[in-house]
Amino acid sequence: ERDAVDQIRRLLNQTMVPAEVAHALESTPPREREFLWQQIDTETQGEILLYLSEELQTEFLERMSAQDLLTATENLDTDDLADLLQRLPTYSIQQVLDSMEAQERHRVETVLSYPEDTAGGLMDIDSITIRPNITLDVVLRYIRRHDELPHSTDALWVVTRSDVLVGRLYLNELLVSDPGMTVREVMDTEFTRLDAMTPEDEVAQLFERHDLISAPVVNEQGQLLGRITIDDVVDVIRDTAEHTVMSMAGLDEEEDTFAPALRTSRRRAVWLGINLLTAFLASSVIGMFEGTIQKITALAVLMPIVASMGGIAGSQTLTVLIRGIALGHVKGNNIRWLISRELVVGLLNGALWAVVVGLLALVWFDDRMLGIIIALAIIINLVVASLVGTLLPVVLKKLKIDPALSGSVILTTVTDVVGFLSFLGLASLVYLS
Amino acid sequence: ERDAVDQIRRLLNQTMVPAEVAHALESTPPREREFLWQQIDTETQGEILLYLSEELQTEFLERMSAQDLLTATENLDTDDLADLLQRLPTYSIQQVLDSMEAQERHRVETVLSYPEDTAGGLMDIDSITIRPNITLDVVLRYIRRHDELPHSTDALWVVTRSDVLVGRLYLNELLVSDPGMTVREVMDTEFTRLDAMTPEDEVAQLFERHDLISAPVVNEQGQLLGRITIDDVVDVIRDTAEHTVMSMAGLDEEEDTFAPALRTSRRRAVWLGINLLTAFLASSVIGMFEGTIQKITALAVLMPIVASMGGIAGSQTLTVLIRGIALGHVKGNNIRWLISRELVVGLLNGALWAVVVGLLALVWFDDRMLGIIIALAIIINLVVASLVGTLLPVVLKKLKIDPALSGSVILTTVTDVVGFLSFLGLASLVYLS
């Protein structure tokens, strides 16, 4: 027994790297997870927290004593520490800050002063800076005085006396150039400086577009504040992409896969409640036509087909648009083209499946009128679905509402209502007159 | 007119970087896109192709003459060239290969010999290698003989005479260490070597877990084949995450946002057709109860609510599971815990919303029996939805079927059928007896 626990402790604290331990914790149900967490040395816990989802970070951090918190976060990079602090209540943040040295404290406060999802919130403050007028030989000797360079250092920042960023000296350039040359002669001056308030998805696009490993963050005066490294950007890219999948099902990308049943139920109940409202709306539309349904029960049998085809067509358009907006492909000047493309697609697929469903309905119920009615309803619903699927995300985005989260609920409501209304409405016109 | 075209040409060929031109092309409808493409110099086209989606790569590549193809791809890295070649028909690949020098040709053929979605298919063959027994001073002088280092070089590879990889010398270490030391003394020996057949998502997980900038690919004898760099891994991460969103709507992540209407219609028609089959299946279930519906039309009004609540609950579970599997959180030993958690969630939310819907139905139709029947049907459907939502992706994954693509169709079919069957079935038992 004792031996087994010792072995687990060794595994968690020595053999595995922090990211692997974090992955193991994420993959474990609550009770075992708690046990594993208790076997991890406090000094190692800080590093591991960095790789956990926000939900788990909050859960573990909230239960740590002030002393443990300090021990755990002692050796973290400034940006990583700032990330973790944001999961804590204000008075705990203050406690940690109070215990730090003035210089380090100032650094963390700088990062904390920017929103978490901006360049300022992502940046690290450990850059190595040099002056433009020294020779590479001096730079090489200056570097050699360090024990190690900050992680992911691919360039040194060239700044003036007043900290204004004027250039970037790649380590690769430093290594292949003649040591007698000056920094000014070798440095790169045409690179992107990120404003501290740049949103994180723009930062990610920039890194992807220029295959960057690090990028500098500057203030309005052009002074160097810090640098962003690719490992943090990779997290942004993964989170952004996951956000869409999870939001479309009313979930959060920071959610713990192994959250306990009660917490999970409570969270999902909200989404089910919202959908119940829209379901009742659709039902009330059907309710308007009870008389018609009583006369022609085939309508009740076929009506879900009209709603469902509209829902599928609409959600395809919606997904294409949400992705196009996220990637920055869809902009003001090309939305008109997309609307007309989607309308044509809606009409073509509407016509195709109207004929198929119409014929099947005709054969099934031996009623030519029913075939014509369902065919018309399908065309109407698919065209409306295309239009709403295109416009909805664009409008939501303009209103600063997340299209991935609310788009699919609104869309399904529309396709259900229009589907039932057109099918049962047309049927009432024909059969009740 | 002339002037404007000249300006566009300058913009595309000189001012913008290839990734920006690619982004502009991705964001443009077909006709304008064609015009822009024609303004780009053939030598620049190769670089730009690298940043386009597979659909656009294929479209442009298919129309290029053999001569243009050679001009465009002349200056590309081996791995990038191999990527592009995979979009071409076999005879064009041969033509490009035939025109290359023996050494370069051999490199490209090496990369092409591995599947596109493995470490071998992702790797680059331009690594700098050194021997373990030389001093850092010699390494520094050796590096200085290069005009530049390969992109994203953060380490040199230490190999034996027979090319077996024995270490990794970080440029950062090289810069801070005493030049008199030998490579063997400074090099890192504990790092992950990727087998050429490692699947790309495992490669991505490894890069994320260890915050890597590059990693070596070796063959079974441990000989260095090439290296993978973070920029290629970022593409893998984005594609994998997008794959889930797009697949769930029956779309492809490599799809062109501005594909023409006809091509788009054809692609989406397939998905609508598959969904039509499942919709007819659900309808046939309703058809079994036409008699009951004719007696109690309220059933037709309320039945979509039962199906829809099941669909929502199921898709939430499905999404959590698909993501958990993709992240590697869900494994054989914790699926049982997840099943029981989801069952509890299904029961709790089933009970909650059963009461709400039951009461609403009772008030609306003033029929206590109807309230009880719909309440029971909702509990049944939500529990089934939880179970299927958990098991389905696990089973599909085992069968090597993509759960993101087929999961939602199968799930909706189940929740529709079970929803209609339980609600109308219970009602028939009660009202027809």
Side-chain angles (χ1 to χ4, degrees):
Chain A
E1 179 77 14
R2 245 284 80 99
D3 267 12
V5 174
D6 276 353
Q7 218 163 2
I8 291 176
R9 292 182 66 95
R10 237 194 330 271
L11 199 66
L12 292 172
N13 292 297
Q14 288 154 34
T15 319
M16 295 164 82
V17 300
E20 285 167 341
V21 179
H23 189 259
L25 290 169
E26 292 272 8
S27 316
T28 314
R31 208 175 316 166
E32 291 90 319
R33 181 189 283 163
E34 187 54 41
F35 170 77
L36 291 179
W37 181 247
Q38 277 160 6
Q39 310 312 315
I40 301 170
D41 301 335
T42 316
E43 307 88 71
T44 335
Q45 286 180 341
E47 268 283 347
I48 291 167
L49 281 169
L50 297 180
Y51 292 93
L52 293 173
S53 65
E54 285 180 17
E55 182 172 353
L56 280 186
Q57 286 179 347
T58 314
E59 202 177 307
F60 287 131
L61 281 170
E62 274 176 351
R63 287 179 300 147
M64 282 171 96
S65 70
Q67 188 48 52
D68 282 356
L69 206 60
L70 290 176
T71 317
T73 55
E74 220 165 24
N75 297 315
L76 297 184
D77 283 345
T78 315
D79 61 332
D80 293 335
L81 178 55
D83 264 2
L84 285 188
L85 286 181
Q86 275 156 348
R87 308 281 153 269
L88 289 172
T90 323
Y91 68 87
S92 307
I93 299 183
Q94 209 46 56
Q95 249 180 338
V96 176
L97 289 176
D98 285 345
S99 75
M100 295 166 93
E101 286 173 44
Q103 196 196 358
E104 177 64 5
R105 179 186 167 151
H106 179 70
R107 287 174 162 197
V108 175
E109 282 173 339
T110 311
V111 177
L112 280 176
S113 70
Y114 297 102
E116 201 179 353
D117 55 354
T118 61
L122 280 174
M123 74 187 173
D124 219 333
I125 317 225
D126 53 4
S127 328
I128 297 191
T129 57
I130 49 175
R131 295 268 179 281
N133 48 352
I134 57 177
T135 62
L136 299 190
D137 200 39
V138 175
V139 175
L140 284 168
R141 270 183 286 137
Y142 170 65
I143 292 183
R144 197 148 292 138
R145 270 193 274 150
H146 292 74
D147 286 333
E148 56 173 355
L149 300 183
H151 78 97
S152 307
T153 296
D154 67 326
L156 309 173
W157 308 110
V158 188
V159 296
T160 64
R161 220 170 248 281
S162 54
D163 255 353
V164 171
L165 181 69
V166 291
R168 168 179 189 138
L169 178 66
Y170 289 101
L171 294 188
N172 289 353
E173 287 289 331
L174 174 64
L175 284 167
V176 300
S177 304
D178 173 8
M181 293 174 85
T182 65
V183 170
R184 195 187 303 282
E185 289 171 304
V186 181
M187 74 186 188
D188 177 23
T189 52
E190 295 194 3
F191 56 89
T192 319
R193 295 149 175 83
L194 292 166
D195 181 87
M197 291 302 289
T198 311
E200 61 177 5
D201 47 335
E202 273 181 40
V203 174
Q205 274 180 19
L206 216 85
F207 267 75
E208 279 191 87
R209 214 168 280 177
H210 298 272
D211 290 341
L212 300 178
I213 287 172
S214 71
V217 181
V218 296
N219 64 13
E220 281 171 8
Q221 287 76 46
Q223 289 168 313
L224 183 70
L225 294 174
R227 65 181 184 124
I228 297 179
T229 49
I230 181 74
D231 50 317
D232 297 316
V233 175
V234 166
D235 293 342
V236 172
I237 292 172
R238 182 175 282 288
D239 284 356
T240 314
E242 269 186 9
H243 174 76
T244 312
V245 197
M246 297 297 272
S247 296
M248 286 182 110
L251 302 162
D252 191 306
E253 72 272 16
E254 290 291 346
E255 215 169 289
D256 171 13
T257 309
F258 293 90
L262 215 66
R263 194 191 302 162
T264 309
S265 307
R266 223 179 317 128
R267 263 198 295 237
R268 300 216 191 139
V270 179
W271 194 244
L272 284 165
I274 294 171
N275 275 279
L276 184 62
L277 284 179
T278 82
F280 263 102
L281 196 68
S283 285
S284 69
V285 173
I286 304 175
M288 291 159 51
F289 301 101
E290 267 195 83
T292 322
I293 292 174
Q294 191 158 30
K295 252 181 91 180
I296 323 275
T297 46
L299 295 175
V301 176
L302 293 174
M303 66 186 184
I305 295 175
V306 182
S308 139
M309 291 296 274
I312 296 289
S315 79
Q316 289 200 310
T317 308
L318 185 73
T319 307
V320 168
L321 263 285
I322 288 177
R323 170 170 171 269
I325 292 174
L327 292 179
H329 293 166
V330 176
K331 279 167 263 163
N333 54 356
N334 53 34
I335 289 169
R336 287 183 69 158
W337 188 90
L338 277 174
I339 292 176
S340 59
R341 198 266 315 264
E342 288 300 327
L343 276 180
V344 174
V345 172
L347 262 174
L348 284 175
N349 269 323
L352 169 66
W353 295 110
V355 172
V356 174
V357 176
L359 286 175
L360 287 172
L362 164 65
V363 172
W364 189 352
F365 293 97
D366 195 20
D367 179 342
R368 195 183 303 179
M369 210 55 214
L370 193 63
I372 294 173
I373 291 171
I374 199 168
L376 281 175
I378 281 188
I379 294 180
I380 294 173
N381 208 16
L382 259 69
V383 170
V384 171
S386 305
L387 201 63
V388 175
T390 319
L391 282 176
L392 187 63
V394 177
V395 172
L396 288 174
K397 186 82 191 172
K398 278 240 170 84
L399 298 174
K400 304 218 182 286
I401 299 171
D402 179 8
L405 183 61
S406 34
S408 54
V409 182
I410 302 179
L411 180 87
T412 329
T413 312
V414 172
T415 50
D416 278 358
V417 168
V418 171
F420 293 137
L421 201 62
S422 57
F423 183 50
L424 299 177
L426 283 171
S428 300
L429 281 180
V430 171
Y431 290 108
L432 296 191
S433 63
Chain B
E1 180 76 19
R2 234 329 13 134
D3 267 11
V5 174
D6 275 353
Q7 220 164 359
I8 292 176
R9 291 183 66 96
R10 237 193 330 271
L11 199 68
L12 292 172
N13 292 297
Q14 289 154 34
T15 319
M16 294 164 83
V17 301
E20 285 168 339
V21 178
H23 189 261
L25 290 170
E26 292 273 7
S27 316
T28 313
R31 207 176 314 167
E32 291 91 319
R33 181 189 282 164
E34 187 53 41
F35 169 78
L36 291 179
W37 181 248
Q38 277 160 7
Q39 311 312 314
I40 301 169
D41 301 336
T42 315
E43 307 87 73
T44 334
Q45 287 179 340
E47 268 283 350
I48 292 168
L49 281 168
L50 296 180
Y51 293 93
L52 293 173
S53 65
E54 284 181 17
E55 183 173 352
L56 280 186
Q57 286 179 349
T58 313
E59 201 177 309
F60 286 132
L61 279 169
E62 274 177 349
R63 287 180 298 147
M64 281 170 95
S65 69
Q67 187 48 52
D68 282 356
L69 206 59
L70 291 176
T71 316
T73 55
E74 216 163 28
N75 297 316
L76 298 183
D77 283 345
T78 316
D79 61 333
D80 293 335
L81 178 55
D83 265 2
L84 285 188
L85 286 182
Q86 274 154 348
R87 308 281 154 267
L88 289 173
T90 322
Y91 68 87
S92 305
I93 300 183
Q94 210 45 57
Q95 247 179 342
V96 177
L97 288 175
D98 284 346
S99 75
M100 295 165 96
E101 284 173 46
Q103 195 196 359
E104 177 65 6
R105 179 184 166 154
H106 178 69
R107 292 174 159 197
V108 175
E109 282 172 340
T110 311
V111 177
L112 279 176
S113 70
Y114 297 103
E116 202 179 353
D117 55 356
T118 62
L122 281 173
M123 74 186 173
D124 219 333
I125 317 226
D126 53 5
S127 330
I128 296 192
T129 57
I130 51 177
R131 293 269 179 279
N133 48 350
I134 57 177
T135 62
L136 299 190
D137 200 41
V138 175
V139 175
L140 285 168
R141 270 183 286 138
Y142 170 65
I143 292 184
R144 197 148 292 136
R145 269 193 275 151
H146 292 75
D147 286 333
E148 56 175 356
L149 299 183
H151 79 98
S152 308
T153 296
D154 67 327
L156 307 175
W157 308 110
V158 187
V159 296
T160 64
R161 221 171 250 280
S162 54
D163 255 355
V164 172
L165 181 68
V166 291
R168 169 178 186 138
L169 178 66
Y170 291 101
L171 295 188
N172 289 355
E173 287 290 330
L174 175 63
L175 284 167
V176 299
S177 305
D178 172 8
M181 293 173 85
T182 65
V183 170
R184 193 187 304 279
E185 289 172 304
V186 182
M187 74 185 186
D188 176 22
T189 52
E190 293 194 3
F191 56 90
T192 320
R193 295 147 176 82
L194 292 166
D195 182 86
M197 291 304 286
T198 311
E200 59 176 6
D201 46 337
E202 274 180 39
V203 174
Q205 275 179 18
L206 216 85
F207 267 75
E208 279 190 88
R209 214 168 278 178
H210 300 271
D211 290 341
L212 300 178
I213 288 172
S214 70
V217 181
V218 297
N219 64 13
E220 281 169 10
Q221 287 76 44
Q223 291 168 311
L224 182 70
L225 294 175
R227 65 180 184 124
I228 297 179
T229 49
I230 180 74
D231 51 316
D232 296 317
V233 175
V234 166
D235 293 341
V236 171
I237 292 173
R238 183 175 282 289
D239 283 355
T240 313
E242 270 187 9
H243 174 76
T244 312
V245 197
M246 297 297 272
S247 296
M248 286 182 109
L251 301 162
D252 191 308
E253 72 272 15
E254 290 291 347
E255 213 169 290
D256 171 14
T257 309
F258 294 89
L262 214 65
R263 195 191 303 162
T264 309
S265 307
R266 224 179 316 128
R267 265 199 293 238
R268 300 213 191 140
V270 179
W271 194 244
L272 284 165
I274 294 171
N275 275 280
L276 185 62
L277 285 179
T278 84
F280 262 102
L281 197 66
S283 286
S284 69
V285 173
I286 304 175
M288 289 159 51
F289 300 99
E290 267 195 82
T292 322
I293 292 174
Q294 190 157 32
K295 254 182 90 183
I296 325 272
T297 46
L299 295 175
V301 177
L302 294 174
M303 64 183 188
I305 295 176
V306 181
S308 139
M309 292 296 275
I312 296 289
S315 80
Q316 288 199 311
T317 308
L318 184 73
T319 307
V320 169
L321 262 285
I322 288 178
R323 170 172 171 268
I325 293 175
L327 292 179
H329 294 165
V330 177
K331 279 167 262 164
N333 54 354
N334 53 33
I335 288 169
R336 287 182 69 158
W337 189 92
L338 277 175
I339 292 175
S340 59
R341 200 265 315 264
E342 289 299 327
L343 274 179
V344 174
V345 172
L347 262 174
L348 284 175
N349 269 324
L352 170 66
W353 295 111
V355 172
V356 174
V357 175
L359 286 175
L360 286 172
L362 164 64
V363 172
W364 188 355
F365 292 99
D366 194 21
D367 180 339
R368 195 183 302 176
M369 211 54 216
L370 192 63
I372 294 172
I373 291 171
I374 198 168
L376 282 176
I378 281 187
I379 294 180
I380 294 173
N381 207 18
L382 258 68
V383 170
V384 171
S386 306
L387 201 64
V388 176
T390 320
L391 282 177
L392 186 63
V394 177
V395 172
L396 288 175
K397 187 80 191 175
K398 278 242 171 83
L399 298 175
K400 304 215 181 289
I401 299 171
D402 180 8
L405 183 62
S406 34
S408 55
V409 182
I410 302 178
L411 180 88
T412 329
T413 311
V414 173
T415 51
D416 278 357
V417 167
V418 172
F420 293 136
L421 201 61
S422 56
F423 182 50
L424 299 177
L426 283 172
S428 300
L429 281 180
V430 170
Y431 290 108
L432 295 192
S433 62

